[in-house]
């Protein structure tokens, strides 16, 4: 079946940039999403990109989409300790939405 | 809007007991989803509704699990009888288009 994959862990120093990567297999994906989950909380939508776009920027967040390689990335500039969380990549096609396993971002002071 | 509201936030029960999880979606949303999150399996879609009608329940693990949506503002996920392996965080999400909004989840512990 179709799949969404992302690395499980990422550790960065405060002030550095973080890049979280995701690959997916469904070529009919229409929307791709990044969600953030803090401890004890639900998933919070951070940003999303339509499949005919290749980049979207929103303050410290930059999403890059390479549709040919089915690769999505989330760059967080000037990473802060408050950015420590689990980040989920998700893709939507027709009525299906699939989530990756999540990348745990740890920000060290 | 207060967002998607789930209750209870935490539930501790004994094996064999019935458990009912509740969800109030965002007003006006016509899709409602139930997910389960565990360390081992990540986020799994259990079932989703469109206009109160179950559309896909292929993710429901067993007959012990059932979900209902009697009206547009309320849904329940019931486990009867519960087992220790059902221990997880259960999320409800709702949407009216391309974005799903999640509740804070119910952390279920079955002893």
């Amino acid at each position: 079946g179709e799949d969404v994959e992302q690395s499980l862990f990422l550790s960065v120093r405060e002030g550095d940039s973080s890049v979280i990567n995701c690959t997916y297999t469904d070529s009919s994906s229409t929307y791709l999403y990044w969600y953030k989950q803090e401890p004890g909380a639900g998933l919070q939508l951070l940003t999303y990109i339509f499949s005919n776009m290749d980049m979207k920027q929103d303050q410290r967040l930059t999403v890059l989409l390479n549709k040919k390689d089915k690769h999505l990335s989330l760059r967080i500039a000037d990473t802060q300790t408050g950015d420590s969380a689990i980040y989920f990549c998700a893709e939507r096609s027709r009525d299906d939405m699939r989530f990756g396993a999540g990348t745990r971002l740890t920000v060290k002071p | 809007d207060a967002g998607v509201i789930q209750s209870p936030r935490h539930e501790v029960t004994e094996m064999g007991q019935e458990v009912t999880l509740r969800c109030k979606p965002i007003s006006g949303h016509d899709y409602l989803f139930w997910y389960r999150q565990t360390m081992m399996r990540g986020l799994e879609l259990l079932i989703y509704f469109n206009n109160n009608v179950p559309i896909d329940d292929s993710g429901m693990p067993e007959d012990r699990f059932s979900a209902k949506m009697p009206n547009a503002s309320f849904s329940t996920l019931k486990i009867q009888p519960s087992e220790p392996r059902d221990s997880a965080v259960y999320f409800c999400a709702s949407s009216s288009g391309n974005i799903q909004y999640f509740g804070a989840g119910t952390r279920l512990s079955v002893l």
Side-chain angles (χ1 to χ4, degrees), chain B residues 32-50:
Chain B
L32 184 139
F33 305 82
W34 281 102
Y35 291 89
R36 178 172 67 176
Q37 186 180 36
T38 61
M39 289 290 290
M40 292 295 294
R41 302 170 72 100
L43 198 64
E44 303 173 275
L45 176 65
L46 301 177
I47 184 172
Y48 77 91
F49 296 82
N50 178 221

Side-chain angles (χ1 to χ4, degrees), chain A residues 1-29:
Chain A
E2 306 295 354
D3 214 355
V4 178
E5 294 194 354
Q6 42 184 138
S7 52
L8 295 181
F9 302 99
L10 177 65
S11 179
V12 301
R13 293 218 170 269
E14 192 173 17
D16 288 350
S17 291
S18 307
V19 179
I20 303 172
N21 294 301
C22 170
T23 58
Y24 59 98
T25 58
D26 191 342
S27 57
S28 64
S29 295

